[in-house]
Amino acid sequence: MSTNSYADAASRPIGLTASSGIDREAHNRLDEAWLAAAWSHPTTRVFVVCGGQVLIDDTTDGRTELVMTPAFEAPVTETHRYFLGTDEEGVRYFALQKDALPGRMDQSARPAGLREAGLLLSPRDAGLMVHAVALENWQRLHRFCSRCGERTVIAAAGHIRRCQACGAEHYPRTDPAVIMLVTDDEDRALLGRQVHWPEGRFSTLAGFVEPGESIEQSVRREVREEVGVDVGEVEYIASQPWPFPSSLMLGFMARATSSHIEVDGEEIHEARWFSREDLRAAFESGEVLPPYGISIAARLIELWYGKPLPKPGDVV
């Protein structure tokens, strides 16, 4: 596929990346009076996040929405209240981190994580959920100061943790990770199966960027380490926030300069070269399961495959 074709295909929305229409208004996060007024406004909407899950509900017209309430109906919490932003109509949104999701009298709402909800929600709701889940993950894992070890407190509407002992401020972390579809001179795609994945689940290779390393160097190192294949040309395609718990996935197409596979056995259990015909037959037989539709991995494979990947139960 040509570079222009990659660019055209990559311009289509990837899961969790469509514009949410939310202004995060970072300049207001330290203004306690403004935040208090925003919280008490009758149009403000609030939802609860717990363990990476929220409540979602199906509407009568076939949509799926975040379950949100006015602030005055929200569960009580003062410290774990995160301001997420304001939409184009002036509605402000907050997320509350709680130890359990609230019950629903009508029993129609259900808990869901991003892998499910991200495919169902509108860009606005998906964007709000990604923001909230990322903050919750960071808050749960970074309660103590990395400088002196004392407990930190939440500030800036959930976007800073401040140490009252040494004065250090800590900010939400985002770990860059590369994810790449490797192809060879025969235009075959290299897909691998991680050791903890179910039988038949294949996807692109991926790994974290290490200190002092460019993203191109990271692509080449990860492929070499995981499957023993050398990579030459590396082309950036697109990125995707992936708060599981705190990654930013940087997607690439990469060209192999060798083809012999030697898996590391620690991260990758199995890796194979697939032609389009090979992959189509494997999908049809059920031998290979497509990657989750919300992931950038699915988009990278689609760029090479030439059409959307099948969903479970589809006939290719």
Side-chain angles (χ1 to χ4, degrees):
M1 184 177 286
S2 68
T3 299
N4 287 338
S5 297
Y6 286 149
D8 292 343
S11 67
R12 302 198 312 270
I14 296 171
L16 310 182
T17 64
S19 175
S20 66
I22 300 293
D23 181 352
R24 294 194 175 194
E25 293 194 89
H27 59 284
N28 285 319
R29 291 173 184 164
L30 292 170
D31 188 335
E32 294 299 331
W34 187 93
L35 290 169
W39 175 259
S40 62
H41 198 278
T43 64
T44 292
R45 290 295 177 265
V46 180
F47 64 94
V48 174
V49 58
C50 173
Q53 291 193 317
V54 298
L55 286 180
I56 61 174
D57 205 354
D58 299 323
T59 66
T60 56
D61 58 0
R63 295 177 295 111
T64 301
E65 296 181 332
L66 279 176
V67 173
M68 292 190 267
T69 66
F72 63 83
E73 293 182 1
V76 176
T77 179
E78 291 298 328
T79 57
H80 291 83
R81 188 166 77 189
Y82 311 142
F83 173 63
L84 304 178
T86 304
D87 69 16
E88 296 170 349
E89 297 178 354
V91 177
R92 281 114 182 199
Y93 297 91
F94 287 80
L96 302 181
Q97 177 182 322
K98 302 289 287 183
D99 292 330
L101 293 174
R104 290 276 288 183
M105 295 297 292
D106 56 17
Q107 300 298 313
S108 67
R110 64 186 186 278
L114 266 174
R115 286 185 174 87
E116 175 191 356
L119 290 170
L120 303 174
L121 296 173
S122 67
R124 184 204 68 181
D125 284 6
L128 291 169
M129 184 178 177
V130 170
H131 192 174
V133 168
L135 285 178
E136 185 211 19
N137 282 330
W138 173 67
Q139 294 282 359
R140 289 187 184 277
L141 296 174
H142 294 82
R143 293 176 296 170
F144 296 91
C145 180
S146 59
R147 179 184 294 177
C148 72
E150 292 296 321
R151 183 176 289 274
T152 56
V153 297
I154 297 172
H159 295 77
I160 292 176
R161 290 196 73 99
R162 186 172 290 138
C163 180
Q164 296 178 312
C166 71
E169 289 187 345
H170 305 280
Y171 296 84
R173 60 179 294 171
T174 297
D175 302 319
V178 292
I179 183 166
M180 46 276 176
L181 181 67
V182 180
T183 58
D184 66 1
D185 289 339
E186 299 178 38
D187 203 22
R188 297 179 300 173
L190 179 60
L191 302 179
R193 184 166 71 85
Q194 292 190 16
V195 294
H196 61 276
W197 286 357
E199 189 73 28
R201 177 72 69 191
F202 280 80
S203 189
T204 54
L205 304 178
F208 288 104
V209 180
E210 293 190 347
E213 184 177 54
S214 73
I215 52 179
E216 293 84 2
Q217 290 170 334
S218 181
V219 168
R220 298 184 182 104
R221 176 186 53 77
E222 284 288 345
V223 175
R224 180 66 181 170
E225 289 179 353
E226 292 186 349
V227 296
V229 171
D230 294 320
V231 165
E233 181 183 358
V234 174
E235 180 183 354
Y236 172 76
I237 300 298
S239 64
Q240 180 185 44
W242 198 247
F244 300 107
S246 58
S247 298
L248 175 66
M249 306 303 295
L250 306 170
F252 296 87
M253 304 297 287
R255 180 65 74 173
T257 59
S258 68
S259 60
H260 176 69
I261 295 173
E262 187 173 345
V263 298
D264 63 1
E266 295 181 2
E267 292 187 54
I268 302 299
H269 177 73
E270 181 182 3
R272 293 164 54 186
W273 290 104
F274 291 89
S275 68
R276 290 173 182 81
E277 292 73 23
D278 292 338
L279 193 58
R280 185 179 299 114
F283 284 153
E284 288 178 341
S285 68
E287 177 188 358
V288 169
L289 304 174
Y292 297 105
I294 195 175
S295 70
I296 194 173
R299 173 55 50 80
L300 293 174
I301 298 173
E302 285 176 0
L303 290 177
W304 164 81
Y305 190 59
K307 63 180 181 179
L309 300 180
K311 299 181 179 65
D314 286 352
V315 176
V316 182

